Amino acid sequence: MRSIYLAGVAVLAMAQAALVPVALAEDAAPDKPADIIVTATPFGHSADDTPTISTKVNAEQILAAGGSSIADSLKDVPGVSASGFAAGASRPIIRGMDSARVRLLEDGTSASDVSDIGPDHGIPIDPLAARSIEVVRGAATLRYGSQAIGGVVNTLNNRVPMTLPTTAIGGEVNASYGSVNNAAETSALLDGKVGNLALHADGFYRHTDDYDTPLGTQANSWFHGRGGSVGGSYFLDNGSHVGLAVTRYDAQYGIPSDTTYIDMRQTKIMSRNSFNLGTGVLKTFTLDGSYADYTHDEKNPDGSINTTFKNKEANVRGELLFNRIGAIRNTALGVEYQHRDFSAIGEDSSYLNPATSANIAGYIFTEVELNRALHLEGSGRVEHVSITGTPASDVFTKRSYTPVSGALGLLYTAAEGVKIGFNASTTGRAPALTELFARGGHDGPQTYETGDPNLKIERANSLELSLRVRRGPFRFDGSLYNTWYKNYIYGALTGRSCDDDGECTTGTDGELREVFYEQLGARFRGLEAQASYDVIHSDKGTLIAKVLGDYTRATLDNGAGNVPRIPPYRIGGGLNWQSKIIDAGVTFSHYGRQNDYGAYDTATDGYNSLGAQVAVRPFKRYPGVELAVIGQNLTNDVQRLATSFNKDLVVMPGRSVRLVVKAATF
């Protein structure tokens, strides 16, 4: 209860401060240019013009965060945590929801991996190749399917250029070294044009050893990765464009709670196209798609293969945008198709036999300007899902689901610089492949899982209230949310252990923990907020004070206890100095002890995280050259993630110092 109180008091204090009028000093910092969140709506609105709060992390923040996963780049975003299973396998978690409830995208198309099949499986998108990452919740998530109940994480990398560059050629090179794991990292990109043809190329390389922790070296925590892309788009004089890119990702990484390692590779083709339809009712038609061939081998230390996982996936979305019709400011009508073939060969192939899924959906997204102060967003989606596989009964099974979802959002401008948002939604989700058809041992997470082919559609009914304040040097973003689940699907630990043959006992003799996929009502509620204030703003630079906090509580109905693997509360803040020559900052976060753990799980202790960084641009003639020193976990605290399946065996990295060099011509 004390943890709830601390988090609640902190966020309420920020909200109270947000409502205090702040006089605009003559030299106060003007509002920065609107940051467009392309994932939040089909219409390219700024982050402040949507009922739910969306977040964008830029390339500089991604580079400073370090880490080999998208989740590492989002660690300072309120409401977002990480599964933290391995250096190469850490999936973003939004408000306690992960896996099949958070849709991962690359430039708006499917990540096309198997990270939803097991927590030891990585995401074939490296942060070194990202230009920005967007986290979106609310009505717009229905554009991306039932896997977006918790939200959407979209990595934008411009591999298919969306605009024609203003210069003939430009580029960027980054290199860094990290002390905690002897990390050597480098990345480079080029953007250019030839007439109306925009071209892009990028590549990255990352090599880390086992990382150090306050308790010693974490065995088998290394990561090696490399990849790249080439792409181009042709722009017509009327604003239309067609584009294509080919990407390759290769990585090998150890599983810290085991002796095995994963050898992953993916080849993907992406296409993004937009056609200007004129000035009448019809505005534009966009057609985006991807096809990916993904494989990973789970190997022993000697290189022999235990199991090979394969995933071939196609994703296509067509979207028609309409111009304003009376009070209806914008409308998008779309259709999406996704087809997935999954298979596994080898020792763990019994965990999930070959399975396929095919989804076809239609959706609508619209905005209505009720008056100058009140803006309404509405969306709806009908999705038909066909899934085939073989559960533990060994009887080939076909299942079909038709989830229907809808959302309504309101954004009210209460005063200059003060906006209040409200969002209500009901979202249906078809069960995922593992939830239906899991049928055996999986050595990575050390579980013996059994799915249920008779699972029903999971439904989430959500309410959310948000507050945004932009008053001179003061900024505040805060949200309160409550979600009621009907037929919530979760992996329930039974307290028994099993061997690879499925012989299970009530003791701990077996190496694998028994997990059954079950359905029950559940409730998620929580709050998240962040605030900043420009303490100093002058020609020499700006000193910004920041504070943030988040908290999620998730329980099962009928007295069944807590939803497993929910992050604890977090509260933190810091100071940042920004100027033309030097940027510097320090942040401190406290993560609470997680006592509200699931059945047969364990508590995790609270810990502190202290980070600091200094970046210098020493050459006036070459402003794109930057040198940085970044420190993380400077308190060298023992950090275990409550969200991780292997938290009892794995400690997060200890004190780290990174040296970064960046050179850009943009």
Side-chain angles (χ1 to χ4, degrees):
M1 292 300 295
R2 186 171 182 269
S3 64
I4 301 174
Y5 174 78
L6 287 173
V9 167
V11 176
L12 289 174
M14 289 188 285
Q16 184 177 14
L19 296 175
V20 176
V22 179
L24 272 171
E26 291 184 3
D27 62 344
D31 286 341
K32 295 180 180 179
D35 199 2
I36 303 301
I37 306 287
V38 299
T39 317
T41 74
F43 318 118
H45 288 339
S46 73
D48 289 342
D49 290 334
T50 58
T52 52
I53 294 173
S54 301
T55 305
K56 185 173 185 175
V57 178
N58 61 34
E60 289 76 17
Q61 293 168 304
I62 294 169
L63 190 63
S68 56
S69 73
I70 297 301
D72 294 329
S73 303
L74 301 174
K75 62 183 179 181
D76 293 328
V77 176
V80 179
S81 53
S83 62
F85 194 89
S90 185
R91 217 175 189 272
I93 297 172
I94 300 178
R95 295 175 176 175
M97 289 174 271
D98 64 352
S99 191
R101 298 180 186 88
V102 174
R103 183 83 189 272
L104 301 180
L105 304 174
E106 182 178 21
D107 279 336
T109 64
S110 174
S112 301
D113 57 25
V114 296
S115 63
D116 60 329
I117 299 293
D120 57 324
H121 303 162
I123 304 167
I125 305 171
D126 196 282
L128 288 174
R131 306 310 298 161
S132 64
I133 305 172
E134 297 179 347
V135 180
V136 171
R137 291 156 287 225
T141 61
L142 295 186
R143 295 172 68 204
Y144 303 103
S146 59
Q147 283 189 325
I149 280 182
V152 174
V153 175
N154 190 10
T155 302
L156 304 173
N157 49 34
N158 198 44
R159 285 174 160 170
V160 180
M162 297 301 289
T163 58
L164 193 65
T166 56
T167 58
I169 191 168
E172 180 178 309
V173 178
N174 299 292
S176 67
Y177 170 79
S179 64
V180 76
N181 54 3
N182 292 320
E185 303 167 351
T186 185
S187 63
L189 66 88
L190 285 173
D191 285 311
K193 67 174 181 177
V194 179
N196 286 350
L197 180 64
L199 298 171
H200 172 91
D202 67 67
F204 70 89
Y205 173 81
R206 187 192 300 274
H207 187 286
T208 75
D209 296 336
D210 293 342
Y211 61 74
D212 295 329
T213 81
L215 304 180
T217 300
Q218 181 68 62
N220 209 29
S221 60
W222 54 272
F223 178 90
H224 306 157
R226 58 207 171 276
S229 173
V230 292
S233 295
Y234 186 79
F235 291 81
L236 282 68
D237 293 337
N238 68 351
S240 302
H241 65 86
V242 293
L244 187 72
V246 179
T247 71
R248 177 70 180 184
Y249 179 92
D250 289 271
Q252 298 82 40
Y253 59 89
I255 302 300
S257 54
D258 200 2
T259 60
T260 59
Y261 70 95
I262 284 181
D263 185 353
M264 179 197 306
R265 55 263 188 205
Q266 183 193 67
T267 301
K268 179 157 60 171
I269 300 172
M270 296 190 297
S271 179
R272 305 188 72 187
N273 312 279
S274 178
F275 305 95
N276 192 339
L277 301 180
T279 58
V281 174
L282 300 179
K283 185 177 182 180
T284 59
F285 175 70
T286 60
L287 181 64
D288 297 338
S290 65
Y291 175 79
D293 188 347
Y294 170 100
T295 302
H296 85 241
D297 301 319
E298 298 189 354
K299 295 183 174 180
N300 296 309
D302 63 1
S304 59
I305 298 174
N306 287 329
T307 309
T308 297
F309 287 82
K310 294 178 176 289
N311 192 73
K312 295 184 178 181
E313 188 169 327
N315 182 212
V316 180
R317 180 186 302 107
E319 192 169 78
L320 184 63
L321 302 186
F322 295 81
N323 283 307
R324 187 178 187 121
I325 305 173
I328 302 175
R329 188 165 63 182
N330 288 296
T331 300
L333 192 64
V335 62
E336 182 177 22
Y337 176 74
Q338 186 175 1
H339 186 275
R340 178 182 192 181
D341 288 319
F342 170 86
S343 62
I345 304 167
E347 288 185 10
D348 278 356
S349 60
S350 59
Y351 165 65
L352 186 62
N353 281 8
T356 64
S357 65
N359 304 15
I360 186 166
Y363 63 88
I364 186 170
F365 188 103
T366 190
E367 298 180 318
V368 180
E369 194 174 57
L370 300 177
N371 55 53
R372 293 185 63 183
L374 189 60
H375 163 213
L376 179 147
E377 286 184 2
S379 62
R381 183 181 181 100
V382 178
E383 183 172 340
H384 183 72
V385 183
S386 299
I387 306 176
T388 64
T390 306
S393 64
D394 281 333
V395 177
F396 181 75
T397 301
K398 297 182 180 180
R399 296 301 312 274
S400 295
Y401 302 89
T402 307
V404 179
S405 305
L408 182 68
L410 291 170
L411 183 64
Y412 176 63
T413 303
E416 184 177 355
V418 179
K419 294 184 178 182
I420 299 172
F422 172 77
N423 192 79
S425 64
T426 178
T427 308
R429 180 180 74 87
L433 296 181
T434 50
E435 295 167 342
L436 291 168
F437 302 135
R439 46 173 291 154
H442 192 180
D443 284 340
Q446 296 183 338
T447 54
Y448 193 95
E449 303 179 23
T450 302
D452 182 353
N454 297 312
L455 292 175
K456 302 175 183 178
I457 289 175
E458 176 184 274
R459 180 156 299 278
N461 300 308
S462 301
L463 296 175
E464 181 176 348
L465 184 66
S466 66
L467 171 66
R468 272 168 283 205
V469 179
R470 309 287 185 265
R471 302 294 292 271
F474 183 79
R475 297 172 65 87
F476 174 85
D477 296 87
S479 298
L480 296 169
Y481 57 89
N482 209 325
T483 300
W484 295 266
Y485 276 95
K486 181 180 180 182
N487 295 324
Y488 178 78
I489 304 170
Y490 67 105
L493 289 169
T494 67
R496 303 202 309 167
S497 63
C498 310
D499 60 22
D500 286 324
D501 295 326
E503 294 294 330
C504 302
T505 66
T506 55
T508 58
D509 296 335
E511 295 182 354
L512 310 176
R513 291 173 294 173
E514 188 178 43
V515 174
F516 281 102
Y517 285 98
E518 301 177 353
Q519 283 190 304
L520 197 62
R523 183 184 174 196
F524 285 64
R525 60 274 194 196
L527 45 81
E528 59 202 27
Q530 61 181 345
S532 66
Y533 186 83
D534 294 351
V535 180
I536 298 173
H537 179 76
S538 67
D539 293 338
K540 295 182 178 180
T542 303
L543 179 65
I544 305 170
K546 295 184 177 182
V547 63
L548 65 85
D550 55 23
Y551 174 73
T552 298
R553 183 77 175 97
T555 53
L556 299 167
D557 290 353
N558 304 327
N562 302 305
V563 175
R565 294 173 295 283
I566 298 298
Y569 78 87
R570 169 177 53 167
I571 187 77
L575 292 171
N576 285 282
W577 171 259
Q578 298 176 353
S579 68
K580 292 181 180 179
I581 304 299
I582 280 186
D583 294 340
V586 59
T587 58
F588 176 84
S589 296
H590 174 71
Y591 294 76
R593 177 180 172 86
Q594 182 54 285
N595 288 317
D596 299 321
Y597 50 88
Y600 303 105
D601 211 338
T602 56
T604 50
D605 290 333
Y607 60 87
N608 299 318
S609 179
L610 177 65
Q613 64 183 54
V614 177
V616 181
R617 291 168 289 278
F619 308 113
K620 289 185 178 180
R621 188 174 179 181
Y622 304 104
V625 176
E626 180 177 286
L627 310 175
V629 179
I630 302 167
Q632 295 172 325
N633 192 14
L634 296 177
T635 55
N636 206 34
D637 268 22
V638 174
Q639 302 179 355
R640 297 183 189 270
L641 302 187
T643 53
S644 179
F645 249 105
N646 58 2
K647 59 181 176 291
D648 294 328
L649 302 173
V650 177
V651 177
M652 293 295 103
R655 184 183 294 113
S656 169
V657 177
R658 294 175 58 234
L659 306 177
V660 181
V661 179
K662 172 183 173 183
T665 62
F666 297 117

